[in-house]
Structure formats: C-alpha cells, structure tokens
Amino acid sequence: MKINTDGVLLAGSTYFPQARRILDVGTGTGVIALMLAQRHPYAHIDAVEIDEHAYRQAKINFQNSDFADRLQVFCGSFADMQPQENYELIVSNPPFYTNSLHNPDARKRLAKHTNMLFFEKLLSFVSYYLTDNGQFKLIIPTALADEEIAPILSDYKLHVQSEITISSFSGGLPIRKVWGIGKKELPLEMHAFDIYVEKGIYSAQYKELLEPYFLAF
C-alpha cells in the first residue's frame, strides 16, 4: 500500500470524537481513511477517488481491513457527490503544484490556475456539506496556505480554527500546514511539529503521533 508522509501526518493529527460521518476527499489507496477508521471506532467513513486504479486498490484495502463494514469508497470527483447527510469531518490531502506559486513560466501559471479552481470547488463543497459544528482538515504547502487559500476562505464563510506548522527539522522553515477549518470563528489553536531530529532519524513527536498505526520506524 502506497504511503506518503503528508497523508499519515494529516490522518495521525486528526481526531474528532464527535464525528459519526467522515469523508476523505482524494483517498488514493485509502491510507487516510483506514487510519481515521481506526481512530474513530463509531464513525462511518466515505472516501472518494477520481483515479480508477487507485480507487480499485482502495476498495481492496478497505475490504481486507478490520473496518470493512464502516468504509465505503466511490470512484469519481467529490464535486459530483450529493450526500444525503452532511459530514461532521471532511479531510483531504489534496493535489497541488509545489512550484506554481513562485514560477512565472506560463505552464506553471496555468498549473496554479488549475490548482485554485480545484480548491475553490473543494471549499464550496465543504461549505455546503460540512455540519455547522464540523471540521475540515487538510494538509497543504505553507505558501499555498498563506498566499492563496487563506484570502478566499471568507468567501465560503469558513475559518481556520487550528493550525499545525510542520518542519523537516527543529528551527527550520515550515514546509506544510495542517489546517482545521470550520464554519465558526474560534480562537486559533496553534502547534508546531518537526518530522526529524536529524537526517534519517524521526523525532519523538513523529513516533508518538504514528505509533498506534505502525509497528516500527
């Protein structure tokens, strides 16, 4: 099963005990959804994936898991979904173009434009299908969060409620942000997180966060 650092950091840092309905947007092979199912034993998790190959693998992974009766995966775009009930928790490790923010090349500008169209659709979906007291969790590059996403949140009546800044090493510049976004404006809860203590050696934070899910580091 393909596992990436962004995905496990998002899932490992997400705990919303009141959630009974959870949606994972862009589930890939289902890692985030599986981790959320383990952490939220009373929740039903829907997952959606537009890539057919990844969808098929996620379906197999769900069927082979201990949480098969609480997991369901759909093939297609989240924008085409019409849930009958809203979700208390929506999560996404979305696609992004890491060089598009600072590269003036026309092709990169087009990628940035495509990027923003995706996020505008995603935020619109969240504003419609998230419960009033629910939360939307996502992990994105710091520059994308601060320069592109933050300025448009108010257009969808959404607010950042929590923020985890993620750095590779202590004292390093943050490379990712995990945002908890909701419909209510609340005091911002902030945390910092380092992945490594030195090259190739995971931090105690990282080990503690993911210990419930992995046997070894």
Side-chain angles (χ1 to χ4, degrees):
M1 187 186 307
K2 185 178 180 180
I3 295 175
N4 67 73
T5 301
D6 283 4
V8 297
L9 286 175
L10 174 62
S13 62
T14 297
Y15 180 55
F16 206 67
Q18 59 268 50
R20 294 298 178 267
R21 283 176 50 79
I22 299 174
L23 174 65
D24 178 16
V25 174
T27 195
T29 58
V31 174
I32 293 173
L34 287 164
M35 291 174 66
L36 293 176
Q38 178 177 331
R39 192 80 188 275
H40 300 80
Y42 303 107
H44 174 88
I45 296 93
D46 289 336
V48 59
E49 174 55 50
I50 200 167
D51 180 81
E52 187 171 352
H53 178 75
Y55 155 78
R56 289 177 179 174
Q57 187 60 57
K59 189 172 184 179
I60 292 171
N61 293 336
F62 289 178
Q63 291 171 342
N64 291 336
S65 77
D66 294 336
F67 323 111
D69 60 332
R70 296 189 289 111
L71 289 160
Q72 188 170 10
V73 61
F74 304 91
C75 186
S77 169
F78 69 89
D80 296 327
M81 296 182 69
Q82 295 182 322
Q84 297 302 306
E85 297 180 64
N86 285 9
Y87 295 97
E88 289 89 7
L89 177 63
I90 300 174
V91 302
S92 184
N93 174 22
F96 48 80
Y97 301 89
T98 54
N99 295 323
S100 64
L101 288 171
H102 305 293
N103 193 322
D105 176 76
R107 183 169 52 86
K108 295 300 183 181
R109 290 200 302 272
L110 178 60
K112 176 180 173 181
H113 177 67
T114 304
N115 220 31
M116 289 313 299
L117 287 177
F118 171 86
F119 281 106
E120 288 167 2
K121 288 182 180 180
L122 181 58
L123 292 173
S124 178
F125 180 93
V126 167
S127 69
Y128 195 84
Y129 288 111
L130 186 70
T131 62
D132 289 344
N133 294 311
Q135 195 165 75
F136 170 45
K137 293 287 292 285
L138 81 164
I139 184 168
I140 46 178
T142 301
L144 178 62
D146 293 342
E147 298 174 21
E148 301 295 332
I149 307 302
I152 66 172
L153 283 176
S154 61
D155 295 343
Y156 302 92
K157 298 182 179 178
L158 296 171
H159 308 274
V160 179
Q161 299 172 339
S162 65
E163 175 180 284
I164 303 172
T165 54
I166 298 172
S167 303
S168 295
F169 302 96
S170 178
L173 292 174
I175 56 173
R176 297 285 187 273
K177 287 190 175 185
V178 176
W179 270 352
I181 294 170
K183 294 183 176 181
K184 295 185 176 180
E185 190 170 4
L186 303 174
L188 180 62
E189 181 182 334
M190 300 184 69
H191 301 279
F193 187 96
D194 303 321
I195 300 174
Y196 301 101
V197 290
E198 58 183 86
K199 188 174 181 179
I201 301 178
Y202 288 115
S203 68
Q205 279 181 304
Y206 186 91
K207 292 179 180 180
E208 182 180 357
L209 185 73
L210 299 179
E211 187 175 13
Y213 309 100
F214 301 132
L215 297 177
F217 293 88

